[in-house]
Amino acid sequence: MNQHPPFSAVHRAEQLQQAATHHFDLIVIGGGITGAGIALDAATRGLKTLLLEKQDFGAGTSSRSTKLIHGGLRYLKQLEFALVHEVGTERALLHHNAPHLVRPETMLLPIIEQGSLGKQSTSLGLFLYDILAGVGRKERRKMHSTEDTLALEPLLRADVVLGGGMYFEYQTDDARLTIEVLKTAQRRGAFAFNYAEATGFIYENGKLKGVKVLDHHTNAVLPIYAKKVVNAAGPWVDELRIKDHSLNNKYLHLTKGVHIVVPRRRLPIRQAVYFDVSDGRMIFAIPRGKITYIGTTDTNYYRQQIERPQATLEDITYLLNAVNYMFPRVQLVLADIESSWTGLRPLIHQEGRSPSELSRKDELFFSKSGLISIAGGKLTGFRRMAKRVTDAVVKDLHNNYGMPVKGCVTDEVVLSGGRFKHPELVPKYIAWLAKKHADLGISRSQFRDLVYKYGRNTHAIIRIYTELYAHRSLPIEQGLLLAELHYGVQYEMVTSLSDFLIRRTGRLYFERPEIEPYLSILANEIADILALSPEQKNSQLKEFDEEYWAVLSFAGQPHSIR
Ligand code: FAD
């Protein structure tokens, strides 16, 4: 078997069939950020690794977060100093190893009358945060008077603002981070397949020896063998622990978080704002391109159905009320909502704690059969979580199979697309691309959008554009979109319109109104590339249509623009 098969959807089914003939050191179940991080760590330590994802990569929680690489300010409130240090260090590493995807963003923390933050405590808190998280000189906290805070953010409610603190959070795209980690793992020899579900386990004398895999594209059922199996199934972790008969008194507690998206002109804040809500919680309003997104809620989730959690009208009203209180001149209404997303936090149950009080720490569970499960945690800490899991795997493989013990080196692994000597060189790369390809007529902002999604891999998209679309006299925007789709299918295992428009590009969340004119063009193109039948193409359109309306329907109540 080719050690480095292309990460392409075109030969996906045959490659999965081939993979099934091999014996792996490690099978990772779950293609969210946790599983992706483990696959990368294991592959860099030389383990023959297979990752299985039953939906698309990132389709669980890892495309539904607030999309921030946190420095851990909320942990400071809970006095978890070591954790603040850990996530601060991770944030700096990620910024270095994927500067196109993890970027600093100023965050204003207004201090308001009767709010949860006092002037002194915020100043001290942010000062401690700077030290513990190892914040660089340029990004250290600044405290502001009432006047200055209102000058920085004139839309804020003037009658309650007492001042403000300014600090930095890092923005990312969670699903793209997941795919870049997977592409890096794949380049280092790991195999990863989407739409490949672990439906059961294979045991020998009570010990786990492999996994039964259902390929959702072909309906083939394949037994695949490995020395170790890790369960990184996020909100589904307990489903697999039940199958392994190893669920104990520590179990998952799912909480639901909703974000809404409005056009930026309706909430034209000048920077991200992290503000108080009357129930004692805090929420973010984050500008991004042409939109501003707002979130999140945090409520218990007891439903059985976890594949596509949905926002309710109550969730939406909570967020709208919070914004309208803090930015009274804005007065958002339901019809302003352009998109939304809802995610489930796979946290560990703690008796008597409310959703917001539950610890975000991760925890490993070791079963008698040999299954290692990981639950809890954050996007931000994924590399450390992966290290802990892979350390345990490597130790076990050494003790039971005499395999060599290799340490973790992922702190030095640059993620796919992220090869820049210094983060400040990303804008220079954009300028260089624009100059080099001036004859193509692509604008600086189009290059910028591509580079902040694909980093240095943008050159491959431009190559595809030049070879396949530039001469077809299409509008540039359309040609580039098709080149992006082509790249996604060939290099990021895009198998459907939903994979492309939701997880690889975030367009359903951030540019929903702009999708419609291109939908049938994209459907024809993907059908062409993947040789889909007319039925398969229509079923892709139908599936995407459902997703399209789901972001505008709140628990079955379609919102007014439908
Ligand atoms: P998932 O991403 O859910 O991945 C698990 C995967 O396993 C799924 O894709 C699923 O399809 C797959 N799977 C399940 N069963 C099987 C099976 N049998 N076979 C094959 N595959 C299977 N963290 C931050 O650091 N910053 C934030 O700003 C932030 N904001 C958040 C906001 C919200 C609303 C939520 C809900 C979470 C937020 N988090 C944030 C936390 C972060 O998003 C999660 O910790 C992280 O995404 C969890 O990743 P995961 O890989 O463990 O789970």
Side-chain angles (χ1 to χ4, degrees):
M1 181 164 48
N2 180 358
Q3 272 308 96
H4 301 282
F7 202 41
S8 157
V10 180
H11 303 294
R12 182 197 150 281
E14 299 96 275
Q15 280 170 5
L16 180 54
Q17 291 274 357
Q18 269 194 332
T21 63
H22 283 249
H23 197 124
F24 288 90
D25 295 324
L26 174 66
I27 291 178
V28 181
I29 304 173
I33 192 67
T34 310
I38 297 166
L40 174 61
D41 196 335
T44 51
R45 297 198 213 191
L47 301 188
K48 190 167 178 181
T49 305
L50 169 69
L51 179 140
L52 301 166
E53 165 54 54
K54 71 172 178 175
Q55 310 179 80
D56 183 27
F57 303 120
T61 304
S62 299
S63 54
R64 300 160 182 274
S65 76
T66 308
K67 305 178 196 301
L68 290 176
I69 298 298
H70 288 295
L73 191 59
R74 93 191 285 279
Y75 303 133
L76 192 62
K77 253 182 152 180
Q78 296 160 346
L79 306 180
E80 302 205 56
F81 299 123
L83 211 51
V84 180
H85 176 68
E86 180 173 316
V87 293
T89 315
E90 285 309 300
R91 184 174 80 170
L93 275 176
L94 266 176
H95 180 47
H96 187 264
N97 290 334
H100 62 302
L101 264 186
V102 177
R103 295 183 284 140
E105 167 85 32
T106 49
M107 183 73 70
L108 179 64
L109 199 61
I111 296 158
I112 62 161
E113 260 173 37
Q114 321 254 323
S116 61
L117 306 164
K119 258 187 171 174
Q120 311 273 299
S121 59
T122 305
S123 177
L124 180 66
L126 288 177
F127 172 73
L128 276 176
Y129 171 77
D130 283 348
I131 293 174
L132 290 168
V135 175
R137 204 168 280 280
K138 281 193 204 152
E139 295 181 6
R140 300 228 171 118
R141 67 98 162 84
K142 283 196 183 77
M143 296 305 296
H144 295 287
S145 64
T146 307
E147 211 175 36
D148 289 351
T149 306
L150 291 172
L152 283 165
E153 198 48 82
L155 288 174
L156 279 171
R157 181 171 204 106
D159 57 344
V160 294
V161 172
L162 303 173
M166 190 80 103
Y167 71 109
F168 279 80
E169 288 283 16
Y170 281 52
Q171 258 198 46
T172 191
D173 179 323
D174 43 12
R176 282 221 57 82
L177 185 63
T178 304
I179 199 75
E180 298 291 24
V181 173
L182 276 170
K183 281 159 73 184
T184 316
Q186 189 266 348
R187 259 201 342 239
R188 303 231 166 193
F191 294 83
F193 296 96
N194 47 6
Y195 302 100
E197 177 168 2
T199 52
F201 293 118
I202 304 165
Y203 298 95
E204 215 177 275
N205 302 324
K207 291 286 169 202
L208 199 46
K209 292 291 166 197
V211 170
K212 287 178 204 146
V213 182
L214 170 65
D215 180 351
H216 283 286
H217 280 187
T218 60
N219 286 328
V221 178
L222 309 159
I224 308 188
Y225 293 88
K227 297 186 181 83
K228 283 300 292 178
V229 179
V230 164
N231 166 13
W236 295 263
V237 154
D238 283 354
E239 277 185 13
L240 288 166
R241 291 171 74 210
I242 289 169
K243 283 195 172 139
D244 181 55
H245 308 289
S246 57
L247 189 65
N248 57 16
N249 58 349
K250 283 223 163 176
Y251 50 89
L252 286 191
H253 182 141
L254 301 184
T255 79
K256 187 178 75 168
V258 175
H259 292 82
I260 53 173
V261 177
V262 298
R264 189 146 178 190
R265 67 187 143 73
R266 287 293 291 121
L267 185 55
I269 45 178
R270 295 178 178 177
Q271 66 268 294
V273 185
Y274 187 34
F275 61 97
D276 281 281
V277 184
S278 58
D279 61 2
R281 294 189 58 249
M282 294 189 72
I283 64 174
F284 292 101
I286 302 177
R288 184 174 190 134
K290 292 182 196 156
I291 60 103
T292 302
Y293 66 94
I294 302 143
T296 169
T297 60
D298 197 359
T299 51
N300 287 318
Y301 191 79
Y302 299 119
R303 294 224 199 148
Q304 294 288 316
Q305 201 271 340
I306 48 181
E307 262 74 16
R308 281 189 197 169
Q310 261 216 292
T312 62
L313 207 50
E314 202 183 336
D315 298 322
I316 303 303
T317 311
Y318 173 88
L319 294 174
L320 291 178
N321 286 345
V323 173
N324 291 338
Y325 178 80
M326 194 51 73
F327 305 95
R329 274 184 283 145
V330 168
Q331 293 310 312
L332 296 176
V333 294
L334 205 56
D336 287 315
I337 299 176
E338 250 179 33
S339 189
S340 70
W341 66 87
T342 303
L344 299 177
R345 299 176 187 85
L347 305 176
I348 295 158
H349 182 74
Q350 291 168 294
E351 211 48 52
R353 295 228 176 157
S354 73
S356 300
E357 287 166 351
L358 289 173
S359 168
R360 266 58 177 166
K361 268 192 196 158
D362 58 282
E363 201 161 327
L364 300 191
F365 304 108
F366 297 88
S367 94
K368 279 192 195 138
S369 71
L371 180 70
I372 301 176
S373 301
I374 175 148
K378 301 280 286 177
L379 193 68
T380 308
F382 83 89
R383 198 195 63 83
R384 290 276 187 135
M385 289 164 68
K387 177 182 179 305
R388 284 191 274 275
V389 174
T390 316
D391 282 347
V393 169
V394 163
K395 192 170 158 203
D396 190 291
L397 291 176
H398 178 70
N399 291 343
N400 291 309
Y401 300 91
M403 288 178 66
V405 175
K406 287 192 185 156
C408 174
V409 290
T410 48
D411 54 343
E412 288 171 6
V413 174
V414 171
L415 297 186
S416 171
R419 191 161 293 287
F420 294 92
K421 265 197 184 137
H422 193 277
E424 278 156 26
L425 293 179
V426 180
K428 291 203 171 131
Y429 176 62
I430 297 168
W432 177 81
L433 277 178
K435 197 168 164 201
K436 179 167 183 235
H437 297 291
D439 56 321
L440 295 177
I442 300 170
S443 70
R444 178 76 69 102
S445 80
Q446 284 170 318
F447 276 116
R448 190 178 178 280
D449 288 350
L450 287 171
V451 170
Y452 283 124
K453 276 194 202 120
Y454 302 96
R456 282 205 177 263
N457 294 322
T458 300
H459 78 88
I461 296 172
I462 301 302
R463 179 178 47 73
I464 296 170
Y465 174 74
T466 316
E467 285 172 12
L468 300 182
Y469 301 105
H471 62 276
R472 277 216 232 155
S473 65
L474 302 169
I476 291 174
E477 192 178 333
Q478 183 179 328
L480 276 181
L481 186 63
L482 294 176
E484 218 182 318
L485 173 68
H486 218 105
Y487 176 83
V489 174
Q490 294 290 2
Y491 297 97
E492 298 192 337
M493 218 175 265
V494 163
T495 70
S496 70
L497 288 172
S498 298
D499 295 350
F500 179 64
L501 292 168
I502 305 174
R503 267 92 44 189
R504 297 308 177 278
T505 64
R507 282 192 166 86
L508 181 63
Y509 301 145
F510 303 124
E511 296 162 46
R512 192 199 52 81
E514 286 153 52
I515 293 176
E516 224 165 342
Y518 292 114
L519 203 50
S520 65
I521 296 167
L522 286 169
N524 289 339
E525 194 70 11
I526 198 168
D528 219 31
I529 307 171
L530 288 171
L532 302 178
S533 66
E535 294 74 36
Q536 286 171 318
K537 184 178 97 177
N538 287 338
S539 121
Q540 287 218 357
L541 276 166
K542 186 167 170 284
E543 182 204 307
F544 181 70
D545 193 56
E546 279 165 21
E547 300 271 10
Y548 186 89
W549 291 113
V551 301
L552 294 169
S553 304
F554 306 123
Q557 307 195 35
H559 118 28
S560 52
I561 76 156
R562 186 168 184 176

